[in-house]
Amino acid sequence: MAFNQLAKDRPRLLIVGGGYVGFTLAQQLQTRIKESGGVVTVVDPNPYMTYLPFLPEVAAGNIEARSAIVPHRQHLKDCELIGGRVESIDHANRTVSIRGIDQGPNFELPYDEIVIAGGSMTRTFPIEGLAENAIGLKTIEEAVSLRNWFWSASRSPR
Ligand SMILES: Cc1cc2nc3c(=O)[nH]c(=O)nc-3n(C[C@H](O)[C@H](O)[C@H](O)COP(=O)(O)OP(=O)(O)OC[C@H]3O[C@@H](n4cnc5c(N)ncnc54)[C@H](O)[C@@H]3O)c2cc1C
């Protein structure tokens, strides 16, 4: 199991995804909910929020990759943070199934209220070869890959 459930008996607001929406919501509600006896739980495979509008700046080499992310642990101190991916939601029983980042067996987590803030999926246009050869611009890793590719291309002899 990927984490020890600390807030077993407290009403839980479960936020699926700690990106822009999930992070902002958790940040605004965490203290009030903690003070009223509940808990905000954020589930995300990444321990940080990626500020996507900065990715082109990272790809262009104008800013460091670390400037485009906001660590959850530093800013969501009153939240319960779970490193994992929500794989299914059982609305009738108010539980989710989570695959932890340690790749252990899935575990169930109950919730009282749920916010689904998992973002969007990148789709490609139907252009031949695009899906196989292009690099997206949705994650820090993709932005760094693009930046490195530009750097090595600019150093290659013509
Ligand atoms: C290159 C780029 C530039 C942009 N520029 C602008 C701009 O200038 N102005 C503007 O208004 N908008 C801009 N946007 C759009 C804006 O960034 C998005 O609208 C915003 O990030 C959406 O927030 P979100 O929380 O819905 O999704 P995201 O920020 O993508 O967060 C989704 C989170 O959910 C997590 N997640 C996904 N699936 C699961 C799961 N199953 N379980 C748990 N967690 C999961 C992901 O790891 C991620 O952390 C830009 C987007 C891109 C890609």
Side-chain angles (χ1 to χ4, degrees), residues 103-139:
Q103 298 298 318
N106 282 22
F107 59 94
E108 308 253 297
L109 191 71
Y111 63 83
D112 294 273
E113 301 294 338
I114 189 166
V115 174
I116 301 169
S120 54
M121 286 173 72
T122 304
R123 298 258 186 249
T124 51
F125 293 108
I127 298 170
E128 200 178 321
L130 185 69
E132 298 76 34
N133 298 304
I135 302 175
L137 193 53
K138 199 70 179 296
T139 66

Short mmCIF file of all heavy atoms in Angstrom, two decimals, residues 103-139:
data_model
loop_
_atom_site.label_atom_id
_atom_site.label_comp_id
_atom_site.label_asym_id
_atom_site.label_seq_id
_atom_site.Cartn_x
_atom_site.Cartn_y
_atom_site.Cartn_z
N GLN A 103 3.85 1.31 -7.56
CA GLN A 103 3.40 0.19 -8.40
C GLN A 103 2.94 -1.02 -7.58
O GLN A 103 2.86 -2.13 -8.11
CB GLN A 103 4.49 -0.26 -9.40
CG GLN A 103 4.89 0.81 -10.39
CD GLN A 103 3.75 1.26 -11.29
OE1 GLN A 103 2.98 0.44 -11.77
NE2 GLN A 103 3.60 2.55 -11.49
N GLY A 104 2.66 -0.82 -6.29
CA GLY A 104 2.11 -1.90 -5.48
C GLY A 104 0.66 -2.16 -5.89
O GLY A 104 0.16 -1.54 -6.83
N PRO A 105 -0.03 -3.08 -5.18
CA PRO A 105 -1.42 -3.33 -5.54
C PRO A 105 -2.29 -2.10 -5.31
O PRO A 105 -1.99 -1.28 -4.42
CB PRO A 105 -1.82 -4.47 -4.59
CG PRO A 105 -0.78 -4.55 -3.55
CD PRO A 105 0.45 -3.87 -4.05
N ASN A 106 -3.34 -1.98 -6.11
CA ASN A 106 -4.26 -0.84 -5.93
C ASN A 106 -4.85 -0.85 -4.53
O ASN A 106 -5.01 -1.92 -3.93
CB ASN A 106 -5.42 -0.94 -6.94
CG ASN A 106 -4.97 -0.49 -8.32
OD1 ASN A 106 -3.79 -0.48 -8.63
ND2 ASN A 106 -5.94 -0.13 -9.14
N PHE A 107 -5.19 0.32 -4.02
CA PHE A 107 -5.89 0.38 -2.73
C PHE A 107 -7.09 1.31 -2.84
O PHE A 107 -7.14 2.17 -3.73
CB PHE A 107 -4.94 0.81 -1.60
CG PHE A 107 -4.31 2.16 -1.79
CD1 PHE A 107 -4.87 3.30 -1.24
CD2 PHE A 107 -3.14 2.29 -2.52
CE1 PHE A 107 -4.29 4.54 -1.41
CE2 PHE A 107 -2.55 3.53 -2.70
CZ PHE A 107 -3.11 4.65 -2.14
N GLU A 108 -8.04 1.10 -1.95
CA GLU A 108 -9.30 1.87 -1.98
C GLU A 108 -9.23 3.02 -0.99
O GLU A 108 -8.64 2.86 0.10
CB GLU A 108 -10.46 0.98 -1.58
CG GLU A 108 -10.56 -0.33 -2.33
CD GLU A 108 -11.70 -0.32 -3.31
OE1 GLU A 108 -12.84 -0.20 -2.86
OE2 GLU A 108 -11.43 -0.39 -4.53
N LEU A 109 -9.86 4.11 -1.35
CA LEU A 109 -9.92 5.25 -0.43
C LEU A 109 -11.34 5.80 -0.42
O LEU A 109 -11.88 6.11 -1.49
CB LEU A 109 -8.94 6.33 -0.90
CG LEU A 109 -8.70 7.46 0.08
CD1 LEU A 109 -7.88 6.98 1.27
CD2 LEU A 109 -7.97 8.61 -0.61
N PRO A 110 -11.95 5.93 0.77
CA PRO A 110 -13.30 6.49 0.81
C PRO A 110 -13.27 8.02 0.75
O PRO A 110 -12.26 8.64 1.10
CB PRO A 110 -13.83 6.03 2.18
CG PRO A 110 -12.61 5.82 3.01
CD PRO A 110 -11.48 5.50 2.09
N TYR A 111 -14.36 8.61 0.29
CA TYR A 111 -14.45 10.06 0.27
C TYR A 111 -15.89 10.46 0.61
O TYR A 111 -16.82 9.66 0.50
CB TYR A 111 -14.04 10.64 -1.10
CG TYR A 111 -14.93 10.21 -2.25
CD1 TYR A 111 -16.14 10.88 -2.52
CD2 TYR A 111 -14.59 9.13 -3.05
CE1 TYR A 111 -16.95 10.48 -3.57
CE2 TYR A 111 -15.41 8.73 -4.10
CZ TYR A 111 -16.59 9.41 -4.36
OH TYR A 111 -17.40 9.01 -5.38
N ASP A 112 -16.03 11.72 1.01
CA ASP A 112 -17.37 12.29 1.21
C ASP A 112 -17.77 13.13 0.01
O ASP A 112 -18.89 13.06 -0.46
CB ASP A 112 -17.39 13.11 2.50
CG ASP A 112 -17.19 12.21 3.72
OD1 ASP A 112 -18.18 11.68 4.23
OD2 ASP A 112 -16.03 11.96 4.10
N GLU A 113 -16.82 13.95 -0.45
CA GLU A 113 -17.04 14.74 -1.67
C GLU A 113 -15.83 14.54 -2.57
O GLU A 113 -14.71 14.37 -2.08
CB GLU A 113 -17.18 16.24 -1.35
CG GLU A 113 -18.32 16.59 -0.43
CD GLU A 113 -19.70 16.33 -1.02
OE1 GLU A 113 -19.82 16.27 -2.26
OE2 GLU A 113 -20.66 16.15 -0.25
N ILE A 114 -16.08 14.58 -3.89
CA ILE A 114 -14.96 14.37 -4.83
C ILE A 114 -14.95 15.48 -5.86
O ILE A 114 -16.00 15.95 -6.30
CB ILE A 114 -15.05 12.97 -5.49
CG1 ILE A 114 -13.79 12.67 -6.30
CG2 ILE A 114 -16.28 12.85 -6.38
CD1 ILE A 114 -13.66 11.20 -6.71
N VAL A 115 -13.73 15.92 -6.21
CA VAL A 115 -13.55 16.88 -7.30
C VAL A 115 -12.62 16.21 -8.31
O VAL A 115 -11.53 15.76 -7.95
CB VAL A 115 -12.90 18.19 -6.80
CG1 VAL A 115 -12.59 19.12 -7.97
CG2 VAL A 115 -13.81 18.89 -5.80
N ILE A 116 -13.08 16.11 -9.54
CA ILE A 116 -12.26 15.47 -10.57
C ILE A 116 -11.56 16.56 -11.38
O ILE A 116 -12.22 17.33 -12.08
CB ILE A 116 -13.12 14.55 -11.46
CG1 ILE A 116 -13.78 13.49 -10.56
CG2 ILE A 116 -12.28 13.88 -12.54
CD1 ILE A 116 -14.85 12.69 -11.23
N ALA A 117 -10.25 16.64 -11.20
CA ALA A 117 -9.47 17.71 -11.83
C ALA A 117 -8.24 17.10 -12.51
O ALA A 117 -7.11 17.55 -12.31
CB ALA A 117 -9.07 18.75 -10.77
N GLY A 118 -8.50 16.06 -13.30
CA GLY A 118 -7.40 15.31 -13.93
C GLY A 118 -6.87 15.93 -15.21
O GLY A 118 -6.01 15.35 -15.86
N GLY A 119 -7.38 17.10 -15.58
CA GLY A 119 -6.85 17.77 -16.78
C GLY A 119 -7.37 17.16 -18.06
O GLY A 119 -8.46 16.60 -18.11
N SER A 120 -6.57 17.25 -19.10
CA SER A 120 -7.01 16.83 -20.44
C SER A 120 -5.94 15.94 -21.07
O SER A 120 -4.82 15.86 -20.57
CB SER A 120 -7.21 18.06 -21.32
OG SER A 120 -6.02 18.83 -21.31
N MET A 121 -6.33 15.28 -22.15
CA MET A 121 -5.37 14.43 -22.87
C MET A 121 -4.95 15.11 -24.15
O MET A 121 -5.77 15.74 -24.82
CB MET A 121 -6.02 13.09 -23.22
CG MET A 121 -6.16 12.19 -22.01
SD MET A 121 -7.09 10.74 -22.43
CE MET A 121 -5.90 9.87 -23.44
N THR A 122 -3.68 14.97 -24.47
CA THR A 122 -3.18 15.57 -25.72
C THR A 122 -3.65 14.73 -26.90
O THR A 122 -3.53 13.51 -26.88
CB THR A 122 -1.64 15.61 -25.72
OG1 THR A 122 -1.23 16.31 -24.56
CG2 THR A 122 -1.10 16.30 -26.96
N ARG A 123 -4.24 15.37 -27.89
CA ARG A 123 -4.63 14.68 -29.12
C ARG A 123 -3.81 15.24 -30.27
O ARG A 123 -3.48 16.42 -30.27
CB ARG A 123 -6.11 14.92 -29.43
CG ARG A 123 -7.03 14.40 -28.35
CD ARG A 123 -7.66 13.09 -28.78
NE ARG A 123 -8.64 12.66 -27.81
CZ ARG A 123 -8.49 11.61 -27.02
NH1 ARG A 123 -7.39 10.90 -27.08
NH2 ARG A 123 -9.42 11.28 -26.16
N THR A 124 -3.51 14.40 -31.24
CA THR A 124 -2.76 14.91 -32.39
C THR A 124 -3.69 15.01 -33.60
O THR A 124 -4.68 14.29 -33.69
CB THR A 124 -1.59 13.97 -32.75
OG1 THR A 124 -2.11 12.65 -32.86
CG2 THR A 124 -0.50 14.02 -31.70
N PHE A 125 -3.35 15.89 -34.51
CA PHE A 125 -4.09 15.97 -35.77
C PHE A 125 -3.74 14.75 -36.61
O PHE A 125 -2.66 14.17 -36.44
CB PHE A 125 -3.71 17.25 -36.52
CG PHE A 125 -4.17 18.49 -35.83
CD1 PHE A 125 -3.26 19.33 -35.20
CD2 PHE A 125 -5.52 18.82 -35.80
CE1 PHE A 125 -3.69 20.47 -34.55
CE2 PHE A 125 -5.95 19.97 -35.15
CZ PHE A 125 -5.03 20.79 -34.53
N PRO A 126 -4.65 14.36 -37.51
CA PRO A 126 -4.36 13.16 -38.33
C PRO A 126 -3.34 13.46 -39.43
O PRO A 126 -3.65 13.40 -40.61
CB PRO A 126 -5.73 12.77 -38.88
CG PRO A 126 -6.51 14.05 -38.90
CD PRO A 126 -5.98 14.91 -37.81
N ILE A 127 -2.14 13.79 -39.04
CA ILE A 127 -1.06 14.05 -40.01
C ILE A 127 -0.10 12.86 -39.94
O ILE A 127 0.35 12.50 -38.84
CB ILE A 127 -0.32 15.36 -39.67
CG1 ILE A 127 -1.29 16.53 -39.77
CG2 ILE A 127 0.90 15.55 -40.58
CD1 ILE A 127 -0.74 17.84 -39.23
N GLU A 128 0.19 12.28 -41.08
CA GLU A 128 1.00 11.06 -41.09
C GLU A 128 2.35 11.29 -40.40
O GLU A 128 3.04 12.27 -40.68
CB GLU A 128 1.24 10.64 -42.55
CG GLU A 128 1.63 9.19 -42.67
CD GLU A 128 1.83 8.80 -44.13
OE1 GLU A 128 1.04 9.28 -44.98
OE2 GLU A 128 2.77 8.05 -44.39
N GLY A 129 2.69 10.38 -39.47
CA GLY A 129 3.99 10.43 -38.80
C GLY A 129 4.02 11.34 -37.59
O GLY A 129 4.97 11.30 -36.80
N LEU A 130 2.99 12.18 -37.43
CA LEU A 130 3.02 13.16 -36.33
C LEU A 130 3.04 12.48 -34.96
O LEU A 130 3.91 12.77 -34.13
CB LEU A 130 1.81 14.10 -36.43
CG LEU A 130 1.79 15.25 -35.44
CD1 LEU A 130 2.89 16.25 -35.74
CD2 LEU A 130 0.43 15.96 -35.46
N ALA A 131 2.12 11.54 -34.76
CA ALA A 131 2.02 10.88 -33.44
C ALA A 131 3.31 10.15 -33.08
O ALA A 131 3.74 10.15 -31.93
CB ALA A 131 0.84 9.92 -33.43
N GLU A 132 3.99 9.56 -34.09
CA GLU A 132 5.19 8.77 -33.81
C GLU A 132 6.41 9.66 -33.59
O GLU A 132 7.31 9.32 -32.84
CB GLU A 132 5.51 7.82 -34.99
CG GLU A 132 4.45 6.77 -35.29
CD GLU A 132 3.25 7.36 -36.02
OE1 GLU A 132 3.43 8.28 -36.84
OE2 GLU A 132 2.11 6.91 -35.75
N ASN A 133 6.45 10.81 -34.27
CA ASN A 133 7.69 11.58 -34.28
C ASN A 133 7.67 12.89 -33.49
O ASN A 133 8.73 13.40 -33.12
CB ASN A 133 8.09 11.90 -35.73
CG ASN A 133 8.33 10.62 -36.51
OD1 ASN A 133 9.14 9.81 -36.11
ND2 ASN A 133 7.60 10.43 -37.60
N ALA A 134 6.48 13.43 -33.26
CA ALA A 134 6.44 14.74 -32.60
C ALA A 134 6.55 14.61 -31.09
O ALA A 134 6.27 13.56 -30.52
CB ALA A 134 5.14 15.45 -32.97
N ILE A 135 6.99 15.67 -30.44
CA ILE A 135 7.03 15.71 -28.97
C ILE A 135 5.92 16.67 -28.54
O ILE A 135 5.81 17.78 -29.07
CB ILE A 135 8.39 16.24 -28.46
CG1 ILE A 135 9.54 15.37 -28.99
CG2 ILE A 135 8.42 16.30 -26.94
CD1 ILE A 135 10.93 15.89 -28.62
N GLY A 136 5.12 16.25 -27.56
CA GLY A 136 4.05 17.11 -27.06
C GLY A 136 4.61 18.22 -26.18
O GLY A 136 5.83 18.32 -25.97
N LEU A 137 3.72 19.05 -25.64
CA LEU A 137 4.18 20.12 -24.74
C LEU A 137 3.19 20.24 -23.59
O LEU A 137 2.52 21.24 -23.40
CB LEU A 137 4.29 21.45 -25.51
CG LEU A 137 5.05 22.57 -24.79
CD1 LEU A 137 6.41 22.13 -24.33
CD2 LEU A 137 5.18 23.80 -25.67
N LYS A 138 3.15 19.15 -22.79
CA LYS A 138 2.17 19.09 -21.72
C LYS A 138 2.84 18.80 -20.38
O LYS A 138 2.24 18.95 -19.34
CB LYS A 138 1.19 17.96 -22.06
CG LYS A 138 -0.15 17.97 -21.38
CD LYS A 138 -1.01 19.10 -21.86
CE LYS A 138 -2.35 19.11 -21.20
NZ LYS A 138 -3.15 17.93 -21.53
N THR A 139 4.10 18.32 -20.44
CA THR A 139 4.80 17.98 -19.20
C THR A 139 6.17 18.64 -19.20
O THR A 139 6.70 19.02 -20.25
CB THR A 139 5.01 16.44 -19.07
OG1 THR A 139 5.92 16.03 -20.11
CG2 THR A 139 3.71 15.67 -19.18
#
